[in-house]
Structure formats: structure tokens, C-alpha cells
Amino acid sequence: KGRKVTIWEIINSEYITEEQRIELIRQYQLGHVTIEELIKIVITMVDEKADTAEKEICFEGLRALVPAKSLLDSKIIDTDTFDQLQKGSKTPQEVSKTDKVQRYLQGTDRIDGITMTDSNEKLSIYQAMKDTVLQQNTGLALLEAQAATGFLVDPVRNLKFSVDNAVKNGVVGPELHEKLLSAEKSVTGYKDPYTGNSISLFQAMSKDLVHSDHAIPLLEAQFSTGGIIDPVSSHRIPNDVAIQRGLLSQQMSQAFCDHSDKIKSFTNPKTNERVTYHQLVGKCVRDPTSGLCFLPLSKAECPALAKKCYQYTEEQAQTDLAETQIDFPQTTEKPMTIWEVLNSNMLPEAERSRLLEQYRLGKITKERMVIIILEIREQQEILKSQQIMTCDIIGRKVS
């Protein structure tokens, strides 16, 4: 209150749900509403949400405000605490500091980054992938687990981001945008194509909207970091409540507790053995300053940093890659060779280095490089179009 904000800021605030945001933007892009009409709609939605929030005592959730009644219904607070909140003898801030409430609102320890024991250097998961400290599949699984348990983390600056904002702030590259958005739906919810309702990850898996190979690691990560997330409530819930609501099965809950081999979907980067997310978190060390948890690795222990056996010299790679041309469909960019792309500013520097390194090691073909480059450029164009729309909307200020 009392400050000027842009319509874009409001659309991306906790006052507007993810589904509402997508629909508002879609209506504007299709020309069904003008910017003036959009402003009126958004202000009305905010006023309604604010009126409700003033009547209800709320807590900060993963993506939206959480009414105290939701915590009571989820068996996170008891009746006495709820009554004290209603009477004002306890505040949400006081209740939020209790271990149980903090666990279900914000989660418990998870893998925030990598610490190199040789140098005490702190790396984000993405940077560790780029530096080949982590193998690509290992790092991607850890990033997806971050997205599925709340936020992506920049451990160097101790900041948390949604997937969209992580890409915009360079915390992860655009080539991972779609995969991480898919994982983030574990927090924001999946749309049930039959009812249009928002459903959880387990429910989406049960309806075959998400493959179990993708869903189970994310569910186990949630289970191991405080509890299964109810996207409708915007917070974690106890296991018995999750089972009652159909957000988890008794069988899967038991498998997670037993650390069954069937649910060992992550890789220990030191040994390359299959482990659970819970087991990996147990190997982390907490940074006393930031409170974040880091998985410790050393260069000697890390298989990803083993001595490299190149199949091509730099000169051979340059010759080969200069022979393959890339056509950029649906853009005005002229055709370029792979080598020209790798020596331009079209791709992030870290991505250019990674692609060249992978090719020299014989891990990817020229054909695969073309596909990766086109995917990155396509994602960059999508982000660019979103930013153009943002600029259009941001030009209008609302008080």
C-alpha cells in the first residue's frame, strides 16, 4: 500500500495464482482485453484477495498466503494454537518460528549447492555442471529436486528464485528452462485436463500426466525435505494427511522410509552409486553463515573431473564444426556453421565451452549439437517475446 507498482509486478505477485496469471496474459496477448481492462481486472482480484486476507490470519507459503485454518486442517497446528491466533494472543510470526510449522511452510534441509573441499569454494548446482564438477545428469536431477521442493538456489548470493526468475537472473541457463518448469509444477500444481483443477504431482502421476520415472524422484525429494507439497494449499503436509488427501500412497510412503532400491533415483557424485535424495542430503554440511546445505566434493574424489581423453584436438574440432551449417527456422538469422555459432555471442559462454568440450571428448555428435543450439535459441526467443510483453505492460503504472 502507498507505493506505485507495475501491473506486471502485481500479476507476478502472491495475489494472483499461477493459473490466473497465465489466463490473464493469454487474454491480453489474444487481444481479448485492453491494458486498461487488464488493470481493472487485476485491481479487483487484488482487492478481493486483500479483503479475504484481512479477515483471515495468514502465513507465508511457498507461492501464496496460507490461512491459519489450512494449517489446522492439515494437522500442522492444534486447536489451542488456532484459537490463540484468532484471539491475538499469538501472532503468525511467533507460530512460524516453531519447528513444526517452519518445516511444513518452508521445508527442511536440502542440497543447496556444492562446496569444494580443496578450496572451500561454493558453487551452485548449475555452475558445478558447467565446471564439470558434476556430470550433467547428476546435476540436472539435483536442480529438478530444488525446483520441486520450492525454489532454485543461488548459494553464492544466498537467494532463492522461481524457475522463470532463475533463468532471467542467470542462476541456470535457458537450455534447462522447460525441464525445470516441469519439475516446478510439483509446487505450483498440474492442470487436470479433465476437470481443469490444479492437482498434485502424485495425482498427476496417477492420471498418467507425468511418467513415474520423472515423478518418483521429485516426490522423494519433497518427502525428504519436510513433506509432500499440496500445491492447492501452497505448503507441505504431514504424510498421514497426504495419504488421506490422495497426494501420496501408503506403499510409496513406506518405500521412501525404507530407502528402497526402487526409489534410488539420484547419483552420489563421489562414487557414481545410486542413492536416495535423503541419503545425499545426509552427506551435506551446513554453512554457518548462510545456513545453506552443501554437498562436499574434492577434485580427487569427483569422477567428473577424471583425466580427459580427447578424441579431437582443437584444430580438428574447428575443421569439423566449420563444415556443418545450421539453419535457424522462424527467425531472420542467416545460416551459420556450428563453429561460427560457438565463436559468437548467440549462446552463453559457459554453454559454448561445454558443447565444444563435449564434442572433443566424443560425447556428442555434430547432429546433436545442432539440436541443442536450436533448442537454446528457441528458448531465448520465447524469453525475448515475454520480455517485450513485460516492457509493454510495465509501461503502465498503477497505484
Side-chain angles (χ1 to χ4, degrees):
K1 291 183 178 180
R3 73 180 183 91
K4 288 188 175 182
V5 294
T6 66
I7 187 68
W8 185 252
E9 287 176 310
I10 297 176
I11 288 176
N12 285 277
S13 73
E14 71 275 8
Y15 289 100
I16 308 296
T17 67
E18 180 72 10
E19 288 186 354
Q20 289 172 333
R21 180 178 70 83
I22 292 171
E23 182 60 21
L24 287 170
I25 292 174
R26 190 180 74 85
Q27 292 292 325
Y28 176 75
Q29 288 178 325
L30 292 173
H32 293 170
V33 294
T34 65
I35 190 67
E36 288 76 15
E37 291 170 332
L38 182 64
I39 290 173
K40 289 180 181 179
I41 293 170
V42 169
I43 290 176
T44 300
M45 294 171 72
V46 170
D47 286 342
E48 290 175 352
K49 189 75 174 279
D51 288 342
T52 302
E54 285 179 3
K55 296 173 185 176
E56 292 183 313
I57 296 169
C58 294
F59 295 77
E60 183 179 351
L62 292 168
R63 290 295 186 277
L65 294 176
V66 177
K69 185 66 164 57
S70 179
L71 299 185
L72 177 65
D73 293 341
S74 301
K75 301 180 182 178
I76 296 170
I77 61 174
D78 56 26
T79 304
D80 288 342
T81 302
F82 180 77
D83 290 341
Q84 289 172 329
L85 284 166
Q86 296 299 311
K87 294 174 183 177
S89 56
K90 277 190 177 180
T91 66
Q93 291 75 19
E94 291 172 328
V95 175
S96 294
K97 291 178 182 178
T98 63
D99 290 342
K100 185 175 182 180
V101 173
Q102 198 168 58
R103 167 180 178 164
Y104 292 111
L105 286 181
Q106 302 301 326
T108 56
D109 292 344
R110 61 184 194 151
I111 303 170
D112 296 306
I114 303 296
T115 181
M116 301 304 296
T117 55
D118 315 84
S119 59
N120 204 31
E121 181 183 10
K122 302 291 191 297
L123 301 173
S124 69
I125 300 296
Y126 184 70
Q127 189 59 51
M129 293 166 65
K130 295 305 176 187
D131 292 349
T132 66
V133 170
L134 289 177
Q135 295 177 4
Q136 296 300 304
N137 289 343
T138 301
L140 177 59
L142 294 178
L143 282 175
E144 288 178 326
Q146 279 192 359
T149 54
F151 302 93
L152 293 176
V153 181
D154 178 350
V156 178
R157 293 182 289 171
N158 194 11
L159 296 174
K160 296 179 180 179
F161 298 91
S162 66
V163 170
D164 282 341
N165 287 332
V167 173
K168 291 175 184 176
N169 285 274
V171 178
V172 295
E175 75 279 7
L176 300 181
H177 190 227
E178 288 302 319
K179 288 184 178 180
L180 295 180
L181 273 181
S182 177
E184 189 179 43
K185 287 182 180 178
S186 307
V187 178
T188 59
Y190 295 82
K191 185 175 182 179
D192 188 331
Y194 307 106
T195 65
N197 295 332
S198 180
I199 59 176
S200 73
L201 174 58
F202 182 80
Q203 291 169 324
M205 181 184 72
S206 300
K207 292 175 179 284
D208 293 326
L209 300 176
V210 181
H211 197 280
S212 60
D213 288 346
H214 179 68
I216 290 175
L218 305 184
L219 284 166
E220 196 258 322
Q222 289 186 356
F223 187 92
S224 302
T225 56
I228 299 300
I229 292 173
D230 182 347
V232 176
S233 301
S234 196
H235 61 78
R236 290 171 170 80
I237 53 179
N239 291 335
D240 59 334
V241 177
I243 293 170
Q244 287 174 1
R245 295 182 183 176
L247 309 189
L248 186 67
S249 67
Q250 182 66 54
Q251 182 182 12
M252 188 165 290
S253 175
Q254 191 60 51
F256 290 157
C257 290
D258 294 341
H259 308 299
S260 165
D261 286 341
K262 293 181 180 179
I263 54 98
K264 289 182 177 179
S265 305
F266 295 86
T267 302
N268 183 341
K270 289 185 179 182
T271 63
N272 267 341
E273 66 176 329
R274 303 298 285 174
V275 293
T276 65
Y277 192 76
H278 176 81
Q279 290 169 330
L280 271 186
V281 171
K283 298 179 183 298
C284 289
V285 293
R286 186 187 305 280
D287 180 74
T289 303
S290 66
L292 299 179
C293 291
F294 291 85
L295 189 63
L297 290 175
S298 69
K299 291 183 179 180
E301 293 172 321
C302 187
L305 290 174
K307 185 177 180 180
K308 299 172 182 176
C309 298
Y310 291 110
Q311 291 190 15
Y312 304 99
T313 65
E314 289 188 14
E315 292 76 14
Q316 289 172 327
Q318 177 178 349
T319 301
D320 286 349
L321 299 178
E323 294 175 350
T324 302
Q325 184 171 284
I326 304 176
D327 294 316
F328 297 95
Q330 300 177 346
T331 71
T332 58
E333 293 169 331
K334 65 179 182 179
M336 299 173 67
T337 66
I338 296 178
W339 184 252
E340 287 174 330
V341 171
L342 295 182
N343 285 276
S344 71
N345 292 322
M346 293 177 67
L347 305 181
E349 182 178 353
E351 186 62 28
R352 299 198 303 267
S353 300
R354 186 187 73 83
L355 286 173
L356 181 58
E357 179 83 355
Q358 293 288 300
Y359 181 74
R360 289 187 60 205
L361 289 169
K363 292 186 176 181
I364 57 173
T365 63
K366 289 188 287 186
E367 291 74 19
R368 179 59 184 159
M369 288 181 77
V370 170
I371 293 172
I372 293 172
I373 289 169
L374 289 175
E375 286 177 347
I376 293 174
R377 291 299 293 163
E378 181 182 3
Q379 191 57 52
Q380 288 172 335
E381 288 299 316
I382 292 172
L383 289 174
K384 184 178 178 181
S385 65
Q386 289 176 345
Q387 289 168 352
I388 291 173
M389 181 195 169
T390 302
C391 293
D392 182 20
I393 295 179
I394 279 182
R396 309 298 185 98
K397 296 278 186 177
V398 295
S399 300

